[in-house]
Amino acid sequence: MKIGVLGSGIVGKVLATGFLKHGHEVMVGTRTPDKLKEWFGQNPRGRTGGLDATTQFADVVVLAVNGTVAADALRAAGAANLAGKIVIDATNPIADAPPVNGVLRFFTDINESLMERLQREFTQAKFVKAFNSVGNALMVNPQFKGGKPTMFICGNDDAARKTVTGILDQFGWETADMGKAEAARAIEPLSMLWCIPGLLRNEWNHAFKLLT
Ligand SMILES: NC(=O)c1ccc[n+]([C@@H]2O[C@H](COP(=O)([O-])OP(=O)(O)OC[C@H]3O[C@@H](n4cnc5c(N)ncnc54)[C@H](OP(=O)(O)O)[C@@H]3O)[C@@H](O)[C@H]2O)c1
């Protein structure tokens, strides 16, 4: 597939590298191409472009910018360019305020997620929440003694969730499909829970697993 990653921060680079490793074509959309010089040195098959060109190129878009600017980045990507495309939404609605006792603060509340807001504005894009509930170092084929970790996903389009499940298979995850976009109200705060051991005790090497 042609993957367009919006954002050249750590998550954007890690996921772009993962998609290249799994044989996809990848373009990283950035406002600051200089940030990607080192990444290009290590990933010569990768490409870069503006947010709009990257979205035009993509079959599947990966949203990897700060939650506070997610809507701005998608506006710059262009609503028309996003129409009909899957958007893998790795963002979290983390507020600028500092954590309290290791607990991140969100600018959303428990009855409305960031992904629902984005889906409401960009009605023709097919958002699927994924990759938001684990640290970037563990996003691509993580190895745990406890076996394959679980990625919780949701989104309104059934076929889009199936496509993302296929991507997660490649990336070494089992997928727990939580249904429609409202489930992001539960999946986004998993990032809060995931970060607590890190922020309190500098422990970052864990992931969630759903036992049945
Ligand atoms: N860090 C993690 O381990 C982790 C794990 C799970 C989920 N997440 C989520 O993933 C997202 C990205 O996190 P990150 O750690 O990669 O952040 P980061 O390193 O700070 O990178 C964020 C990127 O956002 C882009 N950006 C900022 N303002 C923008 C604007 N107005 N328009 C367009 N793009 C803009 C910048 O890209 P350019 O300068 O290239 O344009 C920047 O590189 C966040 O929502 C975070 O909550 C992070």
Side-chain angles (χ1 to χ4, degrees):
M1 284 186 283
K2 289 182 174 172
I3 309 293
V5 178
L6 304 182
S8 56
I10 185 66
V11 172
K13 283 188 282 200
V14 162
L15 289 178
T17 306
F19 278 106
L20 283 171
K21 171 183 151 186
H22 289 299
H24 301 279
E25 286 181 62
V26 176
M27 186 183 282
V28 181
T30 179
R31 305 165 305 164
T32 45
D34 273 1
K35 276 194 190 169
L36 286 167
K37 266 190 190 149
E38 196 186 331
W39 184 80
F40 268 125
Q42 295 156 356
N43 298 280
R45 285 187 299 121
R47 314 178 198 188
T48 185
L51 297 175
D52 51 351
T54 299
T55 308
Q56 280 163 16
F57 160 88
D59 303 320
V60 172
V61 173
V62 178
L63 182 61
V65 300
N66 310 95
T68 46
V69 297
D72 292 338
L74 292 174
R75 285 177 204 130
N81 296 328
L82 290 162
K85 293 187 180 167
I86 296 173
V87 179
I88 299 179
D89 175 15
T91 66
N92 286 308
I94 298 172
D96 291 331
V100 183
N101 289 329
V103 181
L104 295 171
R105 288 202 253 192
F106 274 17
F107 59 79
T108 49
D109 71 36
I110 199 67
N111 293 312
E112 192 208 20
S113 63
L114 174 58
M115 194 182 78
E116 289 170 272
R117 284 191 196 176
L118 299 175
Q119 183 66 80
R120 258 201 309 279
E121 177 168 349
F122 302 93
T123 49
Q124 297 194 65
K126 301 170 184 172
F127 287 87
V128 179
K129 198 91 211 171
F131 291 112
N132 70 299
S133 60
V134 70
N136 65 84
L138 298 165
M139 286 179 176
V140 184
N141 303 99
Q143 301 296 320
F144 289 104
K145 282 190 195 134
K148 264 192 195 186
T150 305
M151 188 69 76
F152 294 86
I153 70 165
C154 68
N156 285 341
D157 190 276
D158 297 350
R161 294 199 312 280
K162 284 211 173 71
T163 300
V164 174
T165 299
I167 289 168
L168 287 165
D169 287 347
Q170 285 189 316
F171 279 57
W173 290 83
E174 63 181 28
T175 300
D177 182 341
M178 295 289 121
K180 304 292 182 187
E182 289 76 10
R185 299 174 197 180
I187 296 175
E188 288 173 358
L190 290 178
S191 64
M192 277 187 188
L193 187 61
W194 187 87
C195 284
I196 290 172
L199 293 169
L200 289 183
R201 299 186 294 275
N202 203 26
E203 293 168 10
W204 302 99
N205 195 41
H206 48 266
F208 298 115
K209 187 163 180 72
L210 188 65
L211 300 175
T212 53

